[in-house]
């Protein structure tokens, strides 16, 4: 399991999260929801052991700590939602083959390309891709790593409805095979459809919601929690 305990995160004098704890269990999909600026990206990066924010607390990933960077990278993969993972002058195919090589992936990058629809633009350089195509490619790279913990920042952003459905199915399949998936999103209908639980950020803390034990939907809960921000 990925276990973060007594975690506090911030920048300068700004505190985004204070003394929070979170456990991610393999086989589950967790939705991470909050308005912009509440710390979703900062939390995902901290869970991946990526430096940046002022951080205090403990992180344990299957017995591996943040100081063991190479081992942690094999277990946890953070995929940003703004295409900064990608190199503008490389093709989509270059990226997939490079990811397969770097993570010693058991998956065939050409098969992953076909499964994710990135084969349609595999020959194109990233600089020529639309935002939606870049997002498809970022997700395909995440799948190729076969990381046990996938931390996805706005993974459905810029995807058309067909690709949202496709990648939702892929992520559920990855979870069924034993991975833990965390996805931040503003597409709350998608969170309802795919997540086993939802974690909201509010007042520097985390509020967990289990959809299996409530009829409340993500949008309804979002409005209750953040009505002053909408």
């Amino acid at each position: 399991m990925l276990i973060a305990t007594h975690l506090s995160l911030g920048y300068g004098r700004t505190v985004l999260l204070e003394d929070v704890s979170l456990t991610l269990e393999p086989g589950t999909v967790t939705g991470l929801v909050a308005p912009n600026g509440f710390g979703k990206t900062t939390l995902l990066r901290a869970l991946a052991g990526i430096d940046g924010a002022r951080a205090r607390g403990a992180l344990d990933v299957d017995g591996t700590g943040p100081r063991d960077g190479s081992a942690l990278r094999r277990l946890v993969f953070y995929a940003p939602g703004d295409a900064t993972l990608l190199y503008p002058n490389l093709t989509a195919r270059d990226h997939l083959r490079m990811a397969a090589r770097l993570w010693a992936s058991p998956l065939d990058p050409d098969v992953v390309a076909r499964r994710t629809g990135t084969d349609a633009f595999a020959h194109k350089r990233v600089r020529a891709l639309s935002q939606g195509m870049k997002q498809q490619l970022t997700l395909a790279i995440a799948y190729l790593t076969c990381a046990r913990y996938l931390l996805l920042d706005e993974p459905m952003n810029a995807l058309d409805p067909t690709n949202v459905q496709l990648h939702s199915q892929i992520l559920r399949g990855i979870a069924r095979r034993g991975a833990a998936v965390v996805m931040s999103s503003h597409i709350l209908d998608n969170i309802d459809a795919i997540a086993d639980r939802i974690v909201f950020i509010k007042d520097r803390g985390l509020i967990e919601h289990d959809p299996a034990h409530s009829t409340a939907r993500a949008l309804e809960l979002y409005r209750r929690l953040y009505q002053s921000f909408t």
Side-chain angles (χ1 to χ4, degrees):
M1 288 190 293
L2 187 157
I3 304 172
T5 52
H6 301 297
L7 186 63
S8 295
L9 299 170
Y11 295 94
R13 295 183 178 180
T14 301
V15 178
L16 295 172
L17 289 163
E18 189 167 18
D19 196 26
V20 302
S21 295
L22 182 67
T23 298
L24 304 180
E25 296 186 9
T28 61
V29 177
T30 298
L32 179 61
V33 176
N36 289 334
F38 273 54
K40 298 188 299 296
T41 295
T42 301
L43 175 58
L44 291 177
R45 288 173 59 87
L47 295 178
I50 299 173
D51 292 333
R54 184 184 71 254
R56 186 175 68 249
L59 177 67
D60 181 276
V61 185
D62 296 346
T64 299
R67 292 185 178 179
D68 194 348
S70 59
L72 191 65
R73 282 190 292 273
R74 294 287 176 184
L75 289 166
V76 185
F77 185 81
Y78 166 71
D82 57 4
T84 52
L85 183 70
L86 308 176
Y87 295 91
N89 291 325
L90 295 183
T91 67
R93 181 178 290 112
D94 292 335
H95 280 86
L96 296 179
R97 291 180 176 174
M98 180 169 60
R101 191 165 59 249
L102 289 174
W103 273 269
S105 177
L107 303 179
D108 184 330
D110 293 330
V111 172
V112 172
R114 288 194 295 273
R115 180 74 177 90
T116 58
T118 54
D119 59 332
F121 51 86
H123 63 288
K124 290 187 177 182
R125 298 185 188 277
V126 164
R127 64 171 180 262
L129 301 182
S130 69
Q131 196 61 37
M133 290 174 179
K134 291 175 183 177
Q135 193 62 34
Q136 285 178 261
L137 178 57
T138 297
L139 286 169
I141 291 170
Y143 306 151
L144 269 169
T145 68
C146 294
R148 195 175 192 200
Y149 302 92
L150 282 182
L151 312 181
L152 310 177
D153 202 352
E154 297 287 349
M156 306 302 176
N157 188 35
L159 296 186
D160 59 47
T162 298
N163 276 305
V164 168
Q165 183 177 24
L166 170 64
H167 287 281
S168 296
Q169 292 170 350
I170 292 173
L171 289 172
R172 283 300 333 170
I174 288 173
R176 282 194 299 271
R177 291 189 291 274
V181 177
V182 182
M183 51 180 287
S184 70
S185 183
H186 288 105
I187 307 175
L188 299 182
D189 285 344
N190 184 241
I191 290 289
D192 277 324
I194 190 174
D196 299 298
R197 67 169 177 165
I198 306 172
V199 175
F200 296 91
I201 299 176
K202 182 72 185 295
D203 297 330
R204 301 177 180 175
L206 299 180
I207 301 171
E208 296 194 24
H209 170 71
D210 184 349
H213 295 93
S214 173
T215 59
R217 295 175 62 82
L219 180 58
E220 177 187 351
L221 294 167
Y222 186 94
R223 286 172 173 164
R224 288 183 199 169
L225 289 169
Y226 310 113
Q227 57 183 349
S228 61
F229 296 92
T230 58

